[in-house]
Amino acid sequence: MARDYNPENIELKWQAIWEDSGIYHCEIDPDKPKKYVLEMFPYPSGSPHMGHVRNYTIGDVIARAARMRGYNVLHPMGWDAFGLPAENAAIKQNSHPAVWTYQNIEVQEKSFKRMGFSYDWRRKIVTCDPEYYRWGQWLFLKMHERGLVERKKSPVNWCPECATVLANEQVEGDGVCWRCASRVEKRNLAQWYFKITDYAQELLDDLDQLELWPERVKTMQANWIGRSTGANITFSICDEQGESTDQAITVYTTRPDTLFGCSFFLLAPEHPLVEEFTAGTPYEADCRAVIEASARETAVERESGIAEKQGAFTGRFVVNPINGAKVPVWIANYVLMDYGTGAVMAVPSGDDRDFEFARHYGLDIPPVVVAEDDPLLSTLRDESDLVQKNVDWDTGYTGPGVLVQSGPFTGMKGGKDSEACRAIVEALATEGKGEATVNFRLRDWLISRQRYWGNPIPMIHCDVCGLIPVPEEQLPVILPLDLDISKGATLDSDPSFYEVDCPACGAQAKRETDTMDTFTCSSWYFLRFADARNDEQAFSKKSADYWMPVDNYTGGIEHAILHLLYSRFFTKVMRDMDMLNFDEPFKQLLTQGMVKLDGEKMNKSKGNIVSPDEVVPRYGADTVRGYIMFMAPPDKDLDWSPDGVEGMHRFLGRVWRLVGEYVDTCVLAGSASATNSDEEAIVRQSLRDTQDASLTDAEQTLRRLTHKLTKKATDDIDRQQFNTAIAALMELTNALYDFKKQDNWTDSVYTAEGIDALLKMLAPIAPHITEELWRDLHGEQVESIHVQDWPSYNPDYVVADTIELPVQVNGKIRGRVEVAADAADEVVAEAAKIAVSDHIDDEEIKKLIVVPGRIVTIVI
RNA sequence: GCCGGAGUGGCGGAACGGCAGACGCGGUGGAUUCAAAAUCCAUUGAGGGCAACCUCGUGAGGGUUCAAAUCCCUCCUCCGGCACCA
């Protein structure tokens, strides 16, 4: 009687053996095709959850399958270890972030090993380790050299809870902190930036190269970058009489075609000219009220969605450069200082916001672009002068149309990027008052953080020399570990850290005490994995040339913008530094879905957590891996179901018993079990040489299913449809059980072939049980199943000799014909006619279509 | 508002424009058992018929096609992202 399936025993046994033998280690091998399989490395937040299990199982299956398909596979693991949670937890527990971090890493590492993930652990990275973060500092200096680092004072996002500034990407839609969900405030502070906007166009363009990225991630990035085409138009400031002064303001617009409809002009409340215009005038008080209201509003009103349009007249005027009209200058709360130029030409008839503002303050709404079907068009079609100052519309009209009341441009087609846009910009350009331009929504990346647990920014403030980079040979700037941070102290409270001599002039200077955003650490870690133990460089060119780019990258959709945009930016910068010879770091991206419970996100505070620590000891890692891969396609959310876990456990049990019984029978018969794979291959080959006619029907069927399902599972794993790949393996198991009803089923070489294919294809998903059964089958001395070749299939064996085709009459299935698989279409057609003769009667056949191997359809 | 994605049995989910519901869960019946668990075998979209079979079925409504879950148009619902970006 076969042994019981005891997952815990065999899993721990094989995990130890794999670790000792180092079978998952990899080295550069120019003779072998490489595959770099990577999952987004975890934050060491505590014990792992099902999301981790899913993420890393997906990657592991890809890596293992690739290894068996003959690739030299790099599959590494590390930790993104700097950041606020460590610091907050340490403050709470009166510990140190380093202690908390390394403890958690130990727990997670152990847990990942218990899952049987096939990492090359020699390449482990921990980003808070000086051996790693020194290279982050080095990259900062290199970017500084290239002019990509900037320190500037501007309104920034401040999270009061985290007591630090945040990047735009880290403020979520409703104005809250991505980490703690507190409401973010605006503060005017001097901060460090990476000039990601220098790469805005390329970051947008190269999305086209990413054929194997999900469409939605690319769309999200494109929206975030937010390219818009339009023109800069310059309005000169004029006096009360309309006489131009030598001062001017430039606006950005996407609709230069509507310029004749500009009936007022807007400045952002924070615009520097507002003070100059209004100081000491009767308009000062009103403007100040709007400025103050809008400063309060940004925090509060955004929450409610729509803020009421507010504004005030500044008492000043500008001249419309296209027609010399005198236009009043207002301030308005909906004009943003940090987009475009902070000033807007308002065209209420062509913009809903301007329309609303104009209605509210009783300003003119002259129509300039009118829809083809608007009755207004017939009355105004030929009007080049302003005859109608107002419309009776409910909103502005933003669609395409015809220009009216627009001087020489009247009658032209208007709208976004229209001929009128080009003509008007051209006319303005001749007078130096306009030029076509492009604007991006993307802002520079604010990377400084006023927190302790991060990579120190390697810069020094010298009163004499200004900002001086730390000389390269002095790297790394070590983050001191002896700080008592229990009260939330930062580097700013540690004189032994910040008191330094200026590297340039030797005067007493102050080291920068801000640290870098953790996202800087994760923006290049995939490159370090290629050469993790290099202590002379961030990574060698050779290792990057061989291993990069990452072939398969798996991680959560929450990084659709953040990490994935930053990493693309770093890659392009390093390419321009001649460190890399490619444009994009991640060839293929798989965004895995969440693991939920009863449709809800698992959450510590809700207490609805299913932990791998409780499920794995009970069912084994193989069952958990298999379940997670089977229950949904990898990119979809998955609802945890205890019954589903049982089902996967049952399936593995079926495989266990099938192979166990096979081995037992063979041992009794003194055959098969002793064969190693070479001998078996020879046996199988010789059998293939014999005539098919010697096969029984059952053998024919088993062979056909084995080859068909091998093809199916192989294809499905290739396209990462692991759920259907597992379904195919279940079918193969069922086919073997079916064949088991035959007498002497163990004698047939097709049983051996089926079991061989089943175990090998199941190996990436359930690595332990398959390894154990593989050794049962072939003996302890045989090489691991995980270094075996992936099974192949013979297309000739996939098709049966005869096939049954459905026959349709007028679109409905009315019968079936059994024909030879290679029968000519004419033969099939005749057979089909006979099969459905009842339904044809004497009707004339109008059309007869044979879709080979699929269907016959007859139209009468 | 704009941009994406998705709506298929009791449930999770399958289906290069070609037999809708693979595979699994759950259910039902049987074998085994003193009994149960486990296991094995069979069955399982809905409705009708003794039956071979028939009818209806992929969010709703139209269309293209010999043939539509799949392609096109209109609409509804849900999920996600962005949002006063001029």
Side-chain angles (χ1 to χ4, degrees), chain A residues 654 658 662 684 687-688 692 695-711 728-758 761 792-794 796-801:
Chain A
R654 258 166 88 75
L658 176 81
Y662 175 72
R684 200 173 316 143
L687 188 116
R688 285 203 174 122
D692 287 355
L695 305 192
T696 63
D697 284 354
E699 281 179 320
Q700 284 260 10
T701 305
L702 178 61
R703 184 180 72 177
R704 183 171 55 80
L705 288 173
T706 299
H707 286 258
K708 183 182 136 185
L709 294 167
T710 297
K711 174 174 164 43
L729 298 180
M730 288 172 166
E731 281 190 74
L732 180 52
T733 306
N734 293 345
L736 283 159
Y737 265 86
D738 237 11
F739 188 72
K740 194 161 162 285
K741 291 170 192 164
Q742 306 293 314
D743 292 339
N744 306 322
W745 65 285
T746 53
D747 293 345
S748 173
V749 75
Y750 297 106
T751 308
E753 184 185 58
I755 288 175
D756 181 78
L758 174 64
M761 294 192 292
S792 57
Y793 59 87
N794 184 338
D796 294 342
Y797 296 161
V798 172
V799 277
D801 290 348

Side-chain angles (χ1 to χ4, degrees), chain A residues 637-841:
Chain A
D637 285 352
L638 177 154
D639 212 23
W640 185 267
S641 125
D643 287 344
V645 180
E646 284 285 352
M648 180 48 60
H649 195 63
R650 209 174 301 167
F651 166 61
L652 294 181
R654 258 166 88 75
V655 174
W656 177 267
R657 287 186 299 275
L658 176 81
V659 180
E661 199 175 327
Y662 175 72
V663 171
D664 285 354
T665 317
C666 293
V667 168
L668 278 176
S671 64
S673 78
T675 56
N676 66 31
S677 45
D678 288 343
E679 288 170 43
E680 192 186 301
I682 295 163
V683 170
R684 200 173 316 143
Q685 190 53 50
S686 69
L687 188 116
R688 285 203 174 122
D689 294 342
T690 65
Q691 294 216 330
D692 287 355
S694 67
L695 305 192
T696 63
D697 284 354
E699 281 179 320
Q700 284 260 10
T701 305
L702 178 61
R703 184 180 72 177
R704 183 171 55 80
L705 288 173
T706 299
H707 286 258
K708 183 182 136 185
L709 294 167
T710 297
K711 174 174 164 43
K712 166 100 175 117
T714 304
D715 292 349
D716 284 353
I717 285 177
D718 275 350
R719 52 185 193 118
Q720 300 178 348
Q721 294 295 310
F722 307 108
N723 54 331
T724 51
I726 293 170
L729 298 180
M730 288 172 166
E731 281 190 74
L732 180 52
T733 306
N734 293 345
L736 283 159
Y737 265 86
D738 237 11
F739 188 72
K740 194 161 162 285
K741 291 170 192 164
Q742 306 293 314
D743 292 339
N744 306 322
W745 65 285
T746 53
D747 293 345
S748 173
V749 75
Y750 297 106
T751 308
E753 184 185 58
I755 288 175
D756 181 78
L758 174 64
L759 290 183
K760 284 176 178 169
M761 294 192 292
L762 187 58
I765 294 148
H768 311 86
I769 187 176
T770 48
E771 182 82 300
E772 179 75 11
L773 292 172
W774 179 253
R775 307 294 176 130
D776 285 351
L777 217 43
H778 300 294
E780 291 295 322
Q781 70 285 3
V782 80
E783 270 202 300
S784 166
I785 192 169
H786 302 296
V787 297
Q788 301 298 319
D789 289 339
W790 193 256
S792 57
Y793 59 87
N794 184 338
D796 294 342
Y797 296 161
V798 172
V799 277
D801 290 348
T802 60
I803 47 174
E804 196 185 58
L805 290 183
V807 182
Q808 280 186 339
V809 179
N810 286 354
K812 289 201 192 300
I813 308 283
R814 294 298 182 190
R816 302 177 169 277
V817 275
E818 180 135 345
V819 295
D822 53 359
D825 286 358
E826 297 75 32
V827 179
V828 178
E830 286 314 309
K833 278 188 221 168
I834 295 160
V836 294
S837 52
D838 289 356
H839 293 270
I840 299 176
D841 291 328

Side-chain angles (χ1 to χ4, degrees), chain A residues 305-317:
Chain A
I306 326 122
E308 180 137 337
K309 302 262 178 301
Q310 275 185 35
F313 181 44
T314 62
R316 299 293 290 272
F317 296 86

Side-chain angles (χ1 to χ4, degrees), chain A residues 137-145 149-151 191-194 447-448 455-462 465-471 474-477 491 497-503 509-516:
Chain A
Q137 295 174 3
W138 180 83
L139 281 167
F140 178 98
L141 294 179
K142 290 291 151 190
M143 287 167 78
H144 184 260
E145 270 171 33
V149 175
E150 193 181 19
R151 188 174 165 83
Q191 295 294 324
W192 292 95
Y193 292 84
F194 279 160
I447 57 138
S448 43
N455 191 359
I457 293 176
M459 294 294 285
I460 290 166
H461 301 260
C462 171
C465 312
L467 284 168
I468 301 292
V470 172
Q474 288 178 24
L475 296 185
V477 175
L491 293 173
F497 175 78
Y498 64 69
E499 284 178 357
V500 288
D501 295 335
C502 170
K510 189 181 179 194
R511 192 187 288 289
E512 172 63 58
T513 55
D514 280 359
T515 53
M516 284 187 243

Side-chain angles (χ1 to χ4, degrees), chain A residues 452-589:
Chain A
Y452 159 74
W453 190 235
N455 191 359
I457 293 176
M459 294 294 285
I460 290 166
H461 301 260
C462 171
D463 288 341
V464 184
C465 312
L467 284 168
I468 301 292
V470 172
E472 226 177 271
E473 60 277 11
Q474 288 178 24
L475 296 185
V477 175
I478 295 281
L479 182 73
L481 293 176
D482 55 0
L483 227 66
D484 175 14
I485 65 127
S486 58
K487 306 259 174 339
T490 64
L491 293 173
D492 207 27
S493 63
D494 184 6
S496 67
F497 175 78
Y498 64 69
E499 284 178 357
V500 288
D501 295 335
C502 170
C505 71
Q508 207 183 51
K510 189 181 179 194
R511 192 187 288 289
E512 172 63 58
T513 55
D514 280 359
T515 53
M516 284 187 243
D517 183 1
T518 39
F519 280 94
T520 62
C521 299
S522 55
S523 292
W524 69 281
Y525 78 106
F526 42 90
L527 290 157
R528 182 70 181 171
F529 274 138
D531 197 10
R533 296 283 86 87
N534 194 329
D535 55 11
E536 281 161 13
Q537 293 166 281
F539 52 87
S540 70
K541 184 102 176 13
K542 185 182 162 210
S543 63
D545 283 350
Y546 180 76
W547 289 115
M548 288 296 294
V550 173
D551 293 276
N552 301 275
Y553 197 31
T554 308
I557 186 74
E558 66 273 17
H559 288 295
I561 294 170
L562 290 154
H563 162 62
L564 290 168
L565 186 67
Y566 296 147
S567 297
R568 296 181 61 221
F569 164 59
F570 261 59
T571 299
K572 290 173 193 304
V573 172
M574 284 190 254
R575 177 205 58 198
D576 291 346
M577 287 163 58
D578 287 326
M579 295 173 71
L580 302 174
N581 58 9
F582 53 89
D583 300 322
E584 288 289 338
F586 312 122
K587 212 164 160 182
Q588 192 228 20
L589 176 70

